[in-house]
Amino acid sequence: MNRIYLRKRGKGWAVAVSIPKRLQKKAAIHFGSSSGIKKEIVRGLGTRDLAEANRRKHEVLAQIHSTLASLDRNEIPDPIELSKEYNADRDEDDFIVSDFAEKYEERHGLKAAQAYYRIAIGKAVPVSLRAQNWLEEIRRDGLKQHTIDDYQATLNTFIEWSDDIPTQDIDRHLASSFVAYLKQTPSEKTKRPIALRTVKKKITALTRFWDWLNHYEWIEESKADIWERQRRSVSKLKEERQGKRALTKEEAQEWLAAARNSRSKYSQAMIDMIILGWHIGARAEDICSLTSDKLKKDDERGCIWLHITGGKTDSNERVMPVVSMEALEVLERRLEPNSDAPLFPDVERAKRGRKRYERLQKVINKLRRETLGDKPVDFHSFRRSFSIACEKAEIDLVQWSRLMGHAMPTLASRGYNRGYQDKERIYDYIKKIDAELGELT
């Protein structure tokens, strides 16, 4: 005899229905449970006969399900949360999921409701859940945090665009539609379509995520190359880009004047970055990453030596003197003796990547666009100006490359001279270079 939903209570039969976790607190309030949590509803059927209990239970079950539905009001729970509670052996679970899927259809349409139902009963997995697992795995594998942040940003964009579609439903048509969306979507920063290189970067992130899904056999074999096809297609495209050039002294002075007049809380940091960028020609990240222990005063020569570290290659590590009066003023003001304090503690670390230069670059480049308009220059143009000054000062190629933090031009200088620093010669060269550049103030 059928005993589903039935339980012996004393000598008679009762209906027992489990309350989903998401409703247990509401049910406790509704039914007056003193514990604050109500996990089950039990109703006596007033009979000791099992056959009669089976006849009476349907009306009671309908009342219980109606009560639980009223507790949900118009709320539609997350299908992932529903899937954690779903039990295929309980008829009421399918009833509840179907009811929510119908409500979901009213708001989002049939196709979305079908995906909702499949996720809720554990037959499909949304991108967000798989993405979370992938990001956690690559974080454990030691991938750089800023790369993980980029991947997460791309996945968040795709999840929002696709309404968190189940991974099983992604096909070539949807992938190509998303790529088209990326190409047409304006950048929040420039209000123009995002650069092709940014589109390629985002597709690469999705390709690697898809490869991970394929590794665990969570996608059909016929769909394994969906994003790889998109990557290959986009990689063939060429972007018409306006080549950047060096800053003129007048442009650097105009940018500096705008920084002095800025009301930004980073006004002083921007002033100092422009001055240092002009005189030492280092990358923005290298300047922002400097700490006081990387600065050494040289009273004999009247300069401060910088020890620049980090970067993508070993060639970026170098020492170079600062001889400019305005640049020395910046360094002496920011220097904390006998300390490894950052040179730019007044610049907050960016949320993504946790690097100061990422925060400051956004502010300083916004100011540059407001000041210099569409001129083909950026902060890296300070390095271009510095490089031109090296050429004008007739610096030999080896020292020129060393001061720029580039790979040495010959095998001898790359291999046999590794680590060699002729401070006297470097100092003389910097004096010549700085004479070509001149002071900004």
Side-chain angles (χ1 to χ4, degrees):
M1 183 68 71
N2 184 1
R3 297 193 180 193
I4 297 175
Y5 298 118
L6 296 178
R7 177 189 298 175
K8 271 287 189 180
R9 190 167 71 168
K11 295 182 179 180
W13 290 98
V15 165
V17 176
S18 297
I19 300 174
K21 287 183 180 179
R22 69 181 184 282
L23 297 178
Q24 289 176 2
K25 289 184 178 180
K26 289 184 178 180
I29 296 172
H30 179 80
F31 292 105
S33 174
S34 59
S35 66
I37 295 289
K38 188 170 181 63
K39 298 182 178 181
E40 193 177 49
I41 299 174
V42 181
R43 292 287 181 269
L45 294 172
T47 180
R48 299 182 181 184
D49 182 68
L50 181 56
E52 181 61 24
N54 270 296
R55 284 192 292 271
R56 295 182 182 183
K57 74 178 181 182
H58 298 292
E59 182 179 351
V60 176
L61 282 170
Q63 293 172 355
I64 292 174
H65 287 146
S66 176
T67 301
L68 292 177
S70 69
L71 293 178
D72 259 339
R73 298 178 184 172
N74 291 324
E75 298 174 11
I76 302 177
D78 189 309
I80 297 174
E81 294 302 316
L82 280 178
S83 68
K84 295 176 182 178
E85 304 171 1
Y86 181 78
N87 185 336
D89 294 330
R90 292 198 301 257
D91 290 344
E92 75 267 25
D93 284 16
D94 196 63
F95 170 83
I96 292 170
V97 171
S98 297
D99 185 53
F100 285 132
E102 288 178 6
K103 292 179 182 178
Y104 200 82
E105 181 182 356
E106 292 173 3
R107 301 184 187 183
H108 305 284
L110 177 60
K111 188 174 181 180
Q114 290 171 337
Y116 180 96
Y117 180 81
R118 288 165 53 224
I119 292 170
I121 65 173
K123 295 295 184 182
V125 181
V127 171
S128 60
L129 189 58
R130 293 295 192 211
Q132 181 182 350
N133 296 336
W134 177 56
L135 293 169
E136 288 173 356
E137 184 169 311
I138 60 177
R139 184 176 290 108
R140 289 194 300 269
D141 290 343
L143 197 66
K144 290 183 179 179
Q145 186 59 45
H146 69 85
T147 303
I148 295 174
D149 291 339
D150 286 341
Y151 287 173
Q152 185 161 23
T154 297
L155 286 165
N156 288 345
T157 300
F158 180 76
I159 289 166
E160 182 178 357
W161 175 82
S162 67
D163 290 327
D164 203 7
I165 190 173
T167 54
Q168 294 93 328
D169 292 354
I170 299 173
D171 55 21
R172 291 178 186 175
H173 174 72
L174 186 129
S176 61
S177 296
F178 181 66
V179 173
Y181 164 79
L182 288 177
K183 291 177 180 177
Q184 297 165 5
T185 302
S187 165
E188 292 182 3
K189 183 169 63 176
T190 65
K191 308 304 179 185
R192 292 178 292 189
I194 61 176
L196 182 59
R197 65 182 180 278
T198 305
V199 174
K200 292 177 180 179
K201 188 176 179 181
K202 291 180 180 296
I203 296 173
T204 297
L206 289 165
T207 301
R208 292 182 178 172
F209 171 57
W210 204 249
D211 288 343
W212 178 79
L213 291 173
N214 188 42
H215 172 74
Y216 286 103
E217 299 182 349
W218 285 330
I219 53 176
E220 298 173 23
E221 187 176 349
S222 61
K223 295 182 177 181
D225 64 344
I226 286 175
W227 291 106
E228 177 60 26
R229 281 172 174 263
Q230 296 299 323
R231 190 193 66 79
R232 288 200 300 264
S233 175
V234 174
S235 66
K236 297 175 183 176
L237 302 177
K238 301 296 181 182
E239 186 172 29
E240 293 184 10
R241 296 176 61 189
Q242 185 179 22
K244 302 295 185 186
R245 60 166 172 79
L247 278 158
T248 65
K249 186 175 181 178
E250 291 73 21
E251 288 168 341
Q253 289 172 327
E254 190 177 350
W255 197 352
L256 179 61
R260 293 189 191 281
N261 294 326
S262 171
R263 295 184 178 182
S264 167
K265 66 178 180 179
Y266 295 126
S267 175
Q268 188 61 57
M270 289 192 289
I271 293 168
D272 295 347
M273 279 287 289
I274 290 170
I275 291 173
L276 293 177
W278 178 253
H279 289 286
I280 67 178
R283 299 174 179 88
E285 180 177 4
D286 293 338
I287 298 174
C288 278
S289 299
L290 284 170
T291 52
S292 290
D293 59 333
K294 300 291 176 62
L295 277 61
K296 303 296 180 187
K297 281 190 174 183
D298 187 336
D299 294 330
E300 182 181 345
R301 296 185 179 91
C303 69
I304 292 179
W305 290 87
L306 306 181
H307 181 196
I308 297 174
T309 59
K312 295 181 178 179
T313 66
D314 294 340
S315 302
N316 193 54
E317 183 169 356
R318 60 199 186 277
V319 295
M320 61 188 305
V322 176
V323 299
S324 155
M325 295 304 296
E326 60 188 1
L328 284 172
E329 187 278 323
V330 170
L331 294 177
E332 288 173 353
R333 173 165 39 82
R334 288 186 170 273
L335 179 64
E336 293 284 347
N338 305 314
S339 169
D340 61 353
L343 206 62
F344 285 86
D346 47 332
V347 178
E348 300 170 7
R349 294 182 184 275
K351 291 181 180 179
R352 290 178 53 200
R354 304 297 299 157
K355 293 184 178 180
R356 286 185 171 84
Y357 90 96
E358 290 181 352
R359 171 86 64 183
L360 189 56
Q361 270 206 141
K362 291 180 180 179
V363 181
I364 203 168
N365 279 326
K366 180 182 178 183
L367 180 67
R368 184 256 306 164
R369 288 190 295 273
E370 293 172 351
T371 306
L372 302 178
D374 291 331
K375 290 182 179 180
V377 294
D378 54 14
F379 194 88
H380 208 70
S381 291
F382 285 118
R383 280 175 64 75
R384 300 181 181 98
S385 301
F386 185 87
S387 182
I388 289 173
C390 287
E391 183 174 354
K392 287 182 176 180
E394 299 181 342
I395 309 301
D396 71 72
L397 285 176
V398 171
Q399 296 298 335
W400 185 352
S401 299
R402 181 172 281 136
L403 290 172
M404 295 293 295
H406 288 165
M408 296 295 106
T410 66
L411 176 60
S413 57
R414 283 195 304 273
Y416 297 105
N417 294 10
R418 184 182 296 275
Y420 172 70
Q421 301 283 356
D422 187 339
K423 283 193 171 184
E424 197 61 47
R425 181 172 294 182
I426 292 173
Y427 174 77
D428 290 340
Y429 282 149
I430 285 292
K431 292 280 285 185
K432 293 179 181 179
I433 293 166
D434 211 64
E436 294 290 341
L437 289 166
E439 302 284 290
L440 292 178
T441 56

